[in-house]
Amino acid sequence: MTSQTTEYPTNELEDFEAFLETNFDPQQFANELLLATNGQENPHLDLVTPIKKLKFDIQECDKRIEKISSSNYSSLISNFQKIAEYQKILTTQINPNLERINAPFKRIKQEVVEPFDEAMKLNKALKRIHLTLELLRGTSFFIFIIQQIEELTSVLNERDLVRLAKLHIQINQMYQDATSEKGAEVSVLSVKLIRDYQSIAISKRSNFLSQCINVVSGDFNHPSTLERKNQKLHSHLSALYILDSSEFFNVFDRSTITRKVQSASAQLSRALQSPRNFTAILTEVKEESSEYFTKLSDILSDWKSESDDDKLTFLEIVLKYYKLESLTELFWTKLNQKFKKSIVAAMARGGPIAKNLKIYSQGLKTSVLETFKSEEERNMLLDSLSMIDYK
């Protein structure tokens, strides 16, 4: 009879690799073993076979351990002796030294590292508290401005117009600053109330600006309302300058200078068609404009802008903007530009009008010399009249 010997794999653990995996899960392995033994569609559950399989593996594992131990007993005993020696060295020599070494580190950990970690946690909490506080402060200031705007808008008194204008400028600047704060950890725009009110603030500012423009334009156009005691005009003029200085100059020019220039230009254009009446019409234009702009200048010189950035009178502000010495000078400068164009156009058309202008050319110039004392105004008009003789 031939004796049969059991041959094991070269790798003694080859059949047990599934049990040696780091993520081995007994429950999962049992489920897979049951499925492998019973199949997916078997109506009867067979537990005997898998249990036999596991018992067989246990017995096989014990046999291999016994074989390894018997064939390598000298090496195992030698290793056990070395392990015992190393454990003795570790216990008697290394451990006491490690304790002495670890003691300072333990103290450092307790007295430095752990307090530092706690301090960092507290600092992080403190920083978040500060950010929250900053957000609440910014929000509360926004809400304070919003409440004032709403209150003043609901009951709009003339004495509150300047204050309301300053509030609109302030909240507009606050929104611009909040929008331009790139990279900021907190922003008041993250608060829905503040974010949603921005469009409302823009609409209210636009309506308020339109109101100021209408009042200023209307009162400047009516001589009866152009009075020093017209507090309504003064307040709306101040508010308009604060809200939008560019629009202020546009409205002022349209309502005063341009309006008077258009009226006077129409009169002088008629005078060109009847040169005999030129002196009377020119005198009328001069007297009317002088009276109007003298009155306007006196009023504007008494009214200050009430702007935080500019404490000048409105007359000083306007003259500084146009870089001229008087409103009358501004009027005649613009009027002469239109008058000169009218003369050039009349001479270009020819006919009886151009012929009469040539006949009365010298008389027109004499009328200018007699009517105007200001050399600058005389020279401007004489320059325009010289277009009659231009060939």
Side-chain angles (χ1 to χ4, degrees):
M1 176 181 293
T2 305
S3 61
Q4 295 181 351
T5 58
T6 304
E7 294 185 0
Y8 299 116
T10 304
N11 182 1
E12 301 290 349
L13 303 176
E14 183 177 349
D15 294 334
F16 307 104
E17 289 179 351
F19 298 98
L20 298 174
E21 293 179 355
T22 55
N23 58 346
F24 175 76
D25 184 357
Q27 183 177 352
Q28 181 182 354
F29 183 81
N31 288 330
E32 292 175 355
L33 183 59
L34 287 172
L35 286 173
T37 305
N38 291 272
Q40 295 282 354
E41 300 178 356
N42 192 346
H44 302 289
L45 181 61
D46 179 14
L47 295 176
V48 176
T49 302
I51 291 175
K52 287 181 178 180
K53 170 71 169 60
L54 291 175
K55 287 182 176 179
F56 174 79
D57 287 343
I58 292 172
Q59 292 174 0
E60 183 66 20
C61 188
D62 287 340
K63 289 178 182 180
R64 294 190 187 187
I65 292 174
E66 183 179 353
K67 179 178 182 298
I68 293 171
S69 300
S70 62
S71 61
N72 298 282
Y73 70 92
S74 59
S75 298
L76 289 173
I77 292 174
S78 175
N79 287 329
F80 288 149
Q81 289 176 345
K82 288 182 179 179
I83 291 172
E85 291 175 1
Y86 291 149
Q87 286 179 337
K88 184 178 179 181
I89 294 173
L90 181 64
T91 304
T92 58
Q93 299 180 20
I94 298 179
N95 281 351
N97 292 331
L98 285 176
E99 290 178 1
R100 287 195 297 271
I101 294 172
N102 288 333
F105 285 103
K106 185 177 181 181
R107 183 178 178 184
I108 292 172
K109 181 180 178 182
Q110 292 174 341
E111 297 181 3
V112 179
V113 177
E114 291 178 355
F116 176 79
D117 290 339
E118 289 296 320
M120 290 300 294
K121 291 178 182 178
L122 290 174
N123 183 64
K124 187 176 182 180
L126 185 62
K127 184 178 180 181
R128 290 177 177 176
I129 292 172
H130 277 295
L131 289 174
T132 305
L133 181 61
E134 182 182 347
L135 179 61
L136 291 176
R137 283 175 176 172
T139 302
S140 63
F141 192 57
F142 256 97
I143 292 174
F144 175 71
I145 301 299
I146 290 172
Q147 287 175 336
Q148 291 190 77
I149 290 176
E150 291 296 322
E151 290 174 3
L152 295 179
T153 303
S154 61
V155 185
L156 193 57
N157 297 317
E158 292 175 7
R159 64 179 182 274
D160 295 326
L161 293 178
V162 171
R163 182 184 170 197
L164 180 58
K166 291 179 179 180
L167 288 173
H168 275 295
I169 293 299
Q170 187 175 11
I171 198 169
N172 181 62
Q173 186 60 50
M174 289 166 64
Y175 274 116
Q176 290 182 4
D177 293 342
T179 304
S180 63
E181 289 176 354
K182 297 180 179 179
E185 292 189 58
V186 294
S187 172
V188 291
L189 295 181
S190 62
V191 180
K192 188 176 186 300
L193 171 66
I194 307 301
R195 185 174 63 253
D196 292 348
Y197 190 79
Q198 186 171 12
S199 60
I200 299 175
I202 293 172
S203 176
K204 287 183 178 292
R205 181 178 181 274
S206 178
N207 293 336
F208 185 35
L209 182 63
S210 297
Q211 176 186 332
C212 292
I213 291 174
N214 292 335
V215 171
V216 170
S217 299
D219 284 14
F220 272 146
N221 287 337
H222 295 86
S224 60
T225 57
L226 191 59
E227 299 288 342
R228 283 188 179 88
K229 61 183 180 181
N230 190 344
Q231 186 59 42
K232 178 182 177 182
L233 175 59
H234 183 196
S235 299
H236 281 84
L237 194 67
S238 298
L240 177 59
Y241 181 68
I242 292 169
L243 282 174
D244 191 333
S245 59
S246 297
E247 192 62 31
F248 166 84
F249 291 113
N250 290 334
V251 173
F252 178 83
D253 186 88
R254 289 197 308 268
S255 304
T256 58
I257 307 300
T258 300
R259 182 175 64 86
K260 296 299 291 185
V261 166
Q262 289 175 344
S263 175
S265 177
Q267 290 178 277
L268 293 180
S269 294
R270 290 196 301 271
L272 293 178
Q273 299 175 15
S274 179
R276 293 180 181 181
N277 299 323
F278 181 78
T279 300
I281 294 175
L282 184 63
T283 301
E284 182 182 354
V285 169
K286 182 178 183 302
E287 290 177 353
E288 287 181 355
S289 62
S290 177
E291 180 182 357
Y292 177 80
F293 285 108
T294 299
K295 183 179 181 181
L296 180 61
S297 297
D298 289 343
I299 294 173
L300 294 180
S301 63
D302 284 346
W303 288 350
K304 290 193 174 182
S305 68
E306 299 188 47
S307 169
D308 294 333
D309 300 329
D310 199 341
K311 297 298 183 181
L312 301 175
T313 65
F314 280 116
L315 181 62
E316 292 171 329
I317 290 171
V318 171
L319 295 180
K320 182 180 179 181
Y321 176 78
Y322 288 106
K323 298 179 181 179
L324 293 173
E325 296 296 327
S326 67
L327 295 179
T328 303
E329 180 184 353
L330 177 61
F331 167 76
W332 283 106
T333 299
K334 290 195 172 188
L335 176 60
N336 185 64
Q337 293 172 354
K338 295 182 71 68
F339 183 52
K340 192 172 187 177
K341 290 179 180 179
S342 297
I343 293 176
V344 172
M347 297 307 297
R349 287 193 299 268
I353 294 178
K355 184 177 180 181
N356 284 338
L357 287 176
K358 282 186 174 291
I359 293 173
Y360 288 97
S361 175
Q362 188 57 46
L364 298 178
K365 294 177 182 178
T366 301
S367 177
V368 170
L369 291 172
E370 293 175 352
T371 304
F372 291 90
K373 295 180 181 180
S374 170
E375 182 178 355
E376 187 172 359
E377 293 170 3
R378 285 202 309 264
N379 290 338
M380 284 192 296
L381 290 170
L382 290 174
D383 179 61
S384 295
L385 292 172
S386 65
M387 295 294 102
I388 296 174
D389 303 320
Y390 181 76
K391 294 182 181 179

